[in-house]
Amino acid sequence: MKIINILIVSLVSTMSSGLLAQFSPEKFFGYAIGSKFTRHDRVVAYFQELQDNFPKSVKTIPYGKTYEGRELLTVFIGSEEIIKNIEGIKNNHSLLDKENVAIVWLSYNVHGNESSGTEAAMQTAYRLLTDKQDYLKNVLVIMDPCLNPDGRDRYVNFYNQYGNAPFDPHSFSVEHNETWPGGRPNHYLFDLNRDWAWMTQIESKQRVAVYNQWLPHVHVDFHEQGINEPYYFPPAAEPFHEVITNWQRDFQKDIGKNHASYFDKEGWLYFSKEIFDLLYPSYGDTYPTYSGSIGMTYEQGGSGRAGLAVITQVGDTLTLLDRVKHHVTTGLSTVEMASIHAGKLIKEFKSFHSVKNYKYKTFILAGEEQRLSSLLKLLDNNNVEYHKSTENTTVKAYNYLSTKQEQVKLTGKEYIVSINQSKGTLVNVLFEPKTYLADSLTYDISAWTLPYAYGLDCWASADFVKVDDKRKGMLSTKIIKLDPSAYAYVVDWNSFQSARFLAQALKSGMRVYYNEKTFETQGSKFQEGSLIFLKSENKIPDFISQLTKLLNEYQVDATSIQSGFVDKGVDFGSYSVKPIEKPSVGILMGEDFSSLSVGEIWHFFEQQLQYDAHLIWKEDLSRSLDQINTLIIPEGQHELAENKGFLNWVEKGGRAIVMGSGASGFCREEFGISEKENKDTTSGVEYGQYEREQISSTIIGAIFSTQLDQTHPLSFGLKTYHTLKLSSTAYDMKDAAVIRLNKNAKPENGFVGYKVLNNQSNALVAGKFSYGKGSFTYLVDNPLFRGFWEQGKLVFSNSIIFK
């Protein structure tokens, strides 16, 4: 009887494998994986086909759409028992209770032109359902076959248009040289691999929402690097963030050794422990790591330069088939190791979510309501809990602004964020005042402290602070009403939300003024930059009801003013009360400019400010200038200082806003800006120490406090400002600097090389230079960097709104 049962099981397995063979990628597409690039709609169709024919082993769940409308997909693969109990597995995991299944999440193609990932996803899924079914006895695999479908299809369409038939493997041929902006970014030209924690992009927000429901034990982010690089897999390079556990480090080593055993058998080259560290919290390896996963990056040589085949520097030909094989091998090896060590993964994940003994246990937030609201929304997106403070509680804590310990008396209005929660480690990483760097050779920015980014008051306490459990949640919605008999209505200018409100008011046709000097009336003081709506000058239908609707939609307060004659300061008819000219904005784009910078500006206008802006190719600038009054010049290398038509436009009243490195093209006396000379060099350094010595001349995303000219429109709404400095290049403006670094500036957080630190003293952050009737505004520390530096959005808005 036993023999008969074994034969029946074997027969069923053979029949199942035979049936599955009919649904191999090759059978479905009519070509071998690796011989062509597969468009995204066909990838989605393939996984749907697997579910339709094998519903007991595969479950596909769309989780959203991209900006261009392409489907985002999660694919669940497991044994029949696991797929049948998938909701129970998720619930047990979220409760850290009764678990016996390890969860492995495999993410592919976050960079669109790293195109082997999606092809490998399909092959890996097929292998798990056929010859590697045994791995699934105690593992649930979750696949995201393509995190960036818009970018990937941009690359695939490029290659299909320009690729030779058969392929041309020479790297100088067109098919190996993408046109600007390339397939790497998403629709808005953002790098989605730097957006996990910030979730500025719709793809990230939808994906992380699903990810946080599962919080897998293992997460892998599949990438590609240069064509001449061998395969990279963990363990990662230093610096590891200090919160990463010994278990997370050790299991990376174990997985790396398992991968190596397969690569050694095939004679494939690989490396580990170099380049790719675990520090910046918004990567596809670090974000999962700080949430308890074994988070890892795998890097295959290739990317957009590789095409279907390319000759490398050693004369070998690297094919897409090779790249797919390598990713399939490490993907299967990862699931294998999770299956072998499932019990340990489950145990250590539970241990990770116990309360940690970090230096600071509680972070206390206070400040402008709109700024608080923006940060609380980010915490919500990250599943981070927060509570209101308890009134009349006194706490000893570190003040982020004074950088000193002090006694803080809480009023009940503050928000308390504790590490005593599931996302406690992530909280510590996002809020810590100082990031510990075990090694300065880091792959990305070294500071991101959220209270500085959002311009909030914050204190860090070494104790757990008592909270008011009855008042958990965000700021309550206010009902704002206006007095219809008032002379005018005044709105404070104190956050980016003020700018969002103003943009809609201008679009609706309202006339708006602002004050250059403070005034006091009806017992209130109004700071520079307050928005003034004069009832007599707004003849649009239903003005009061329209204004009331906008105020409530954007939750910004307004004061009804009964007279233009104020108690102190400038009356409403003063020369110092000026009309806001409706901006007509152009954004330059093209090969001279950073696609990331273009994307940050484009996304700012279209998705955040929700205000129209024209995308303009540099070649079309001359015929567009008479249609705009404001031109945004992204980061990059350009020759606009030689463009007489452009300079004539500025001289006649045009406003040019220059971002980041774009300022280098205007470093002449006639444009009011110069680059500060830094005399330190890395000459005379031993070859083996050159890379480490070179880092001494860099700044890797460090946070500095600044000094403000608070009377200037460029700093309206700011009480303090912290800038995220991304380059060691320092600029100077003699008379027109509005925001500077402090004298003898030192970073509040992040790495600054000792050879360039002195040169940052009094360095320009933002300034405005008059040029004829127009102006140049220089924002040399990109205030829109990756869309998460909230304070920077207000500075950028000031540059657009106020003359």
Side-chain angles (χ1 to χ4, degrees):
M1 190 68 177
K2 185 176 181 181
I3 294 173
I4 293 173
N5 286 339
I6 291 171
L7 287 172
I8 290 172
V9 170
S10 175
L11 179 61
V12 170
S13 177
T14 301
M15 291 172 63
S16 176
S17 297
L19 182 60
L20 270 165
Q22 299 175 33
F23 297 97
S24 68
E26 289 78 7
K27 289 280 187 180
F28 183 81
F29 294 116
Y31 58 82
I33 289 291
S35 63
K36 289 184 179 181
F37 291 113
T38 309
R39 283 195 171 93
H40 184 70
D41 64 312
R42 299 298 294 146
V43 174
V44 172
Y46 176 69
F47 281 107
Q48 189 61 51
E49 183 82 357
L50 287 182
Q51 176 187 264
D52 291 347
N53 288 277
F54 306 98
K56 294 181 179 180
S57 302
V58 181
K59 188 177 181 68
T60 64
I61 302 179
Y63 65 85
K65 291 185 181 295
T66 68
Y67 285 112
E68 295 178 15
R70 294 180 177 86
E71 193 164 69
L72 296 163
L73 190 70
T74 45
V75 182
F76 297 81
I77 302 173
S79 66
E80 180 178 340
E81 186 68 20
I82 285 174
I83 295 299
K84 183 172 67 175
N85 295 310
I86 195 167
E87 285 302 314
I89 290 169
K90 181 168 73 171
N91 292 336
N92 287 342
H93 182 55
S94 65
L95 297 171
L96 301 175
D97 184 40
K98 300 177 182 177
E99 288 191 85
N100 56 13
V101 173
I103 303 168
V104 176
W105 187 302
L106 305 177
S107 292
Y108 299 89
N109 244 133
V110 69
H111 294 143
N113 60 4
E114 297 177 12
S115 48
S116 67
T118 294
E119 310 292 342
M122 294 186 286
Q123 191 70 26
T124 302
Y126 179 69
R127 293 284 304 279
L128 286 170
L129 292 168
T130 52
D131 61 310
K132 301 300 180 183
Q133 287 183 41
D134 191 50
Y135 294 172
L136 302 176
K137 64 182 185 296
N138 59 350
V139 175
L140 170 64
V141 175
I142 306 174
M143 278 189 177
D144 189 334
C146 188
L147 280 67
N148 182 9
D150 292 350
R152 188 173 195 276
D153 269 4
R154 188 186 309 125
Y155 172 75
V156 171
N157 290 338
F158 161 81
Y159 190 85
N160 288 343
Q161 180 177 4
Y162 291 106
N164 285 50
F167 54 76
D168 183 344
H170 295 90
S171 62
F172 57 78
S173 66
V174 170
E175 66 193 73
H176 299 290
N177 295 277
E178 291 178 84
T179 53
W180 190 94
R184 179 183 174 91
N186 76 335
H187 170 78
Y188 282 109
L189 311 184
F190 268 68
D191 184 337
L192 294 180
N193 191 40
R194 271 79 173 171
D195 195 45
W196 277 73
W198 320 136
M199 287 174 264
T200 67
Q201 303 300 290
I202 194 171
E203 295 92 345
S204 306
K205 188 173 183 179
Q206 294 173 117
R207 179 184 70 253
V208 176
V210 179
Y211 183 90
N212 280 330
Q213 292 174 16
W214 283 95
L215 294 180
H217 299 96
V218 177
H219 178 266
V220 180
D221 200 18
F222 289 85
H223 285 263
E224 293 188 69
Q225 52 188 330
I227 60 174
N228 297 311
E229 302 296 332
Y231 201 98
Y232 163 83
F233 49 68
E238 290 286 358
F240 280 69
H241 195 287
E242 60 183 337
V243 301
I244 296 173
T245 67
N246 290 335
W247 160 250
Q248 288 173 313
R249 289 170 176 258
D250 291 343
F251 197 65
Q252 280 205 1
K253 292 178 185 176
D254 293 340
I255 280 186
K257 289 177 181 178
N258 202 57
H259 295 347
S261 68
Y262 289 108
F263 276 55
D264 288 344
K265 287 177 185 177
E266 300 292 339
W268 297 335
L269 286 176
Y270 56 89
F271 71 100
S272 65
K273 304 179 287 293
E274 295 180 87
I275 303 175
F276 303 104
D277 59 64
L278 290 173
L279 186 70
Y280 173 67
S282 207
Y283 276 134
D285 53 9
T286 50
Y287 185 87
T289 297
Y290 298 146
S291 299
S293 295
I294 309 297
M296 296 173 289
T297 288
Y298 297 169
E299 293 269 359
Q300 163 63 46
S303 198
R305 294 293 305 280
L308 291 179
V310 66
I311 299 171
T312 67
Q313 64 185 5
V314 296
D316 291 337
T317 299
L318 174 66
T319 67
L320 178 59
L321 180 61
D322 296 328
R323 293 148 61 196
V324 171
K325 278 183 182 177
H326 299 162
H327 269 337
V328 170
T329 300
T330 55
L332 293 174
S333 172
T334 301
V335 179
E336 177 189 27
M337 287 295 286
S339 179
I340 293 170
H341 298 283
K344 183 70 170 173
L345 282 166
I346 292 166
K347 178 183 176 182
E348 292 293 340
F349 185 88
K350 186 173 183 178
S351 175
F352 180 93
H353 287 85
S354 60
V355 179
K356 303 294 197 306
N357 188 30
Y358 298 138
K359 179 178 179 180
Y360 295 116
K361 309 294 192 301
T362 307
F363 302 95
I364 304 163
L365 300 169
E368 296 288 349
E369 285 192 2
Q370 296 302 336
R371 296 179 187 178
L372 273 170
S373 179
S374 295
L375 180 52
L376 296 182
K377 287 176 184 175
L378 179 69
L379 298 184
D380 285 340
N381 289 341
N382 282 288
N383 281 13
V384 170
E385 297 176 1
Y386 49 85
H387 298 77
K388 278 287 188 71
S389 64
T390 302
E391 191 175 357
N392 294 325
T393 302
T394 300
V395 180
K396 184 178 180 181
Y398 172 88
N399 187 321
Y400 282 62
L401 295 181
S402 69
T403 67
K404 295 178 181 178
Q405 291 284 337
E406 62 185 37
Q407 294 290 329
V408 185
K409 188 172 182 179
L410 305 181
T411 65
K413 295 181 179 179
E414 299 82 7
Y415 281 83
I416 306 298
V417 187
S418 168
I419 65 165
N420 187 15
Q421 58 176 296
S422 176
K423 286 298 189 85
T425 295
L426 182 65
V427 167
N428 179 75
V429 172
L430 295 181
F431 281 91
E432 60 187 352
K434 296 281 186 182
T435 304
Y436 172 72
L437 283 174
D439 193 321
S440 56
L441 280 172
T442 180
Y443 192 65
D444 208 282
I445 64 173
S446 56
W448 46 82
T449 314
L450 289 184
Y452 294 138
Y454 281 76
L456 292 169
D457 296 324
C458 186
W459 297 265
S461 174
D463 301 314
F464 289 109
V465 175
K466 185 180 178 181
V467 300
D468 188 340
D469 287 322
K470 295 180 181 179
R471 295 192 302 151
K472 178 183 177 182
M474 288 192 63
L475 296 160
S476 58
T477 301
K478 296 174 291 189
I479 298 176
I480 300 163
K481 296 182 179 180
L482 299 176
D483 179 356
S485 67
Y487 176 81
Y489 307 96
V490 180
V491 176
D492 289 336
W493 183 264
N494 54 25
S495 69
F496 176 52
Q497 192 73 347
S498 306
R500 297 183 70 227
F501 158 77
L502 174 62
Q504 301 314 306
L506 292 174
K507 284 173 68 175
S508 70
M510 294 182 189
R511 295 190 68 181
V512 191
Y513 289 76
Y514 71 95
N515 58 310
E516 286 190 316
K517 298 179 180 179
T518 61
F519 66 88
E520 295 180 27
T521 189
Q522 297 178 192
S524 297
K525 183 176 181 178
F526 296 92
Q527 298 296 330
E528 301 94 338
S530 297
L531 306 178
I532 301 171
F533 294 80
L534 297 172
K535 189 171 66 175
S536 63
E537 295 206 14
N538 280 283
K539 305 297 185 182
I540 64 173
D542 301 320
F543 165 64
I544 301 296
S545 61
Q546 284 199 49
L547 180 59
T548 302
K549 181 181 178 181
L550 285 177
L551 291 167
N552 281 280
E553 180 180 351
Y554 289 92
Q555 286 290 287
V556 293
D557 286 320
T559 304
S560 298
I561 304 296
Q562 302 305 319
S563 173
F565 185 85
V566 303
D567 299 330
K568 190 175 180 180
V570 296
D571 294 329
F572 287 2
S574 166
Y575 177 76
S576 295
V577 175
K578 296 187 174 180
I580 293 175
E581 180 184 4
K582 186 177 179 180
S584 176
V585 181
I587 306 168
L588 279 178
M589 62 186 296
E591 292 185 355
D592 289 347
F593 305 104
S594 159
S595 62
L596 293 172
S597 181
V598 171
E600 287 160 357
I601 301 162
W602 181 17
H603 184 267
F604 171 86
F605 279 101
E606 201 157 282
Q607 294 294 326
Q608 298 177 62
L609 193 63
Q610 296 182 328
Y611 189 87
D612 296 338
H614 306 283
L615 292 171
I616 302 170
W617 293 115
K618 183 186 170 185
E619 293 75 16
D620 293 327
L621 178 60
S622 60
R623 62 193 184 96
S624 66
L625 287 173
D626 61 349
Q627 303 295 314
I628 60 175
N629 58 29
T630 305
L631 181 68
I632 317 294
I633 302 170
E635 297 206 54
Q637 302 298 318
H638 56 78
E639 297 179 353
L640 288 169
E642 310 296 335
N643 188 317
K644 293 182 180 179
F646 160 71
L647 296 179
N648 185 52
W649 171 81
V650 177
E651 198 167 23
K652 289 181 177 179
R655 290 184 282 172
I657 300 170
V658 186
M659 307 292 287
S661 62
S664 63
F666 294 103
C667 282
R668 301 181 190 175
E669 186 175 351
E670 62 187 292
F671 301 120
I673 189 170
S674 60
E675 187 174 327
K676 296 178 72 175
E677 183 181 0
N678 189 43
K679 297 179 181 179
D680 292 319
T681 67
T682 56
S683 60
V685 177
E686 291 183 2
Y687 178 78
Q689 291 297 312
Y690 185 79
E691 183 181 24
R692 189 161 296 281
E693 187 66 19
Q694 194 175 40
I695 207 79
S696 301
S697 298
T698 63
I699 295 177
I700 308 174
I703 299 170
F704 287 84
S705 60
T706 65
Q707 49 185 316
L708 302 173
D709 175 358
Q710 292 186 310
T711 67
H712 196 285
L714 200 53
S715 64
F716 282 175
L718 300 173
K719 295 177 182 176
T720 61
Y721 184 70
H722 286 80
T723 188
L724 181 64
K725 193 156 186 61
L726 303 158
S727 167
S728 61
T729 304
Y731 296 92
D732 194 19
M733 293 180 77
K734 288 183 180 180
D735 303 315
V738 180
I739 308 176
R740 290 183 181 272
L741 299 188
N742 296 319
K743 186 177 181 180
N744 302 320
K746 292 183 179 179
E748 302 294 340
N749 194 9
F751 174 79
V752 177
Y754 74 91
K755 290 189 174 184
V756 294
L757 179 58
N758 289 341
N759 206 37
Q760 305 309 313
S761 181
N762 287 318
L764 177 70
V765 173
K768 189 168 186 176
F769 181 75
S770 295
Y771 189 86
K773 295 181 180 180
S775 62
F776 286 93
T777 298
Y778 301 105
L779 305 175
V780 298
D781 292 348
N782 178 5
L784 301 183
F785 179 70
R786 295 182 185 166
F788 84 98
W789 203 257
E790 194 73 10
Q791 278 271 72
K793 296 175 189 176
L794 182 58
V795 174
F796 187 70
S797 299
N798 287 345
S799 73
I800 300 161
I801 301 297
F802 303 116
K803 282 191 174 181

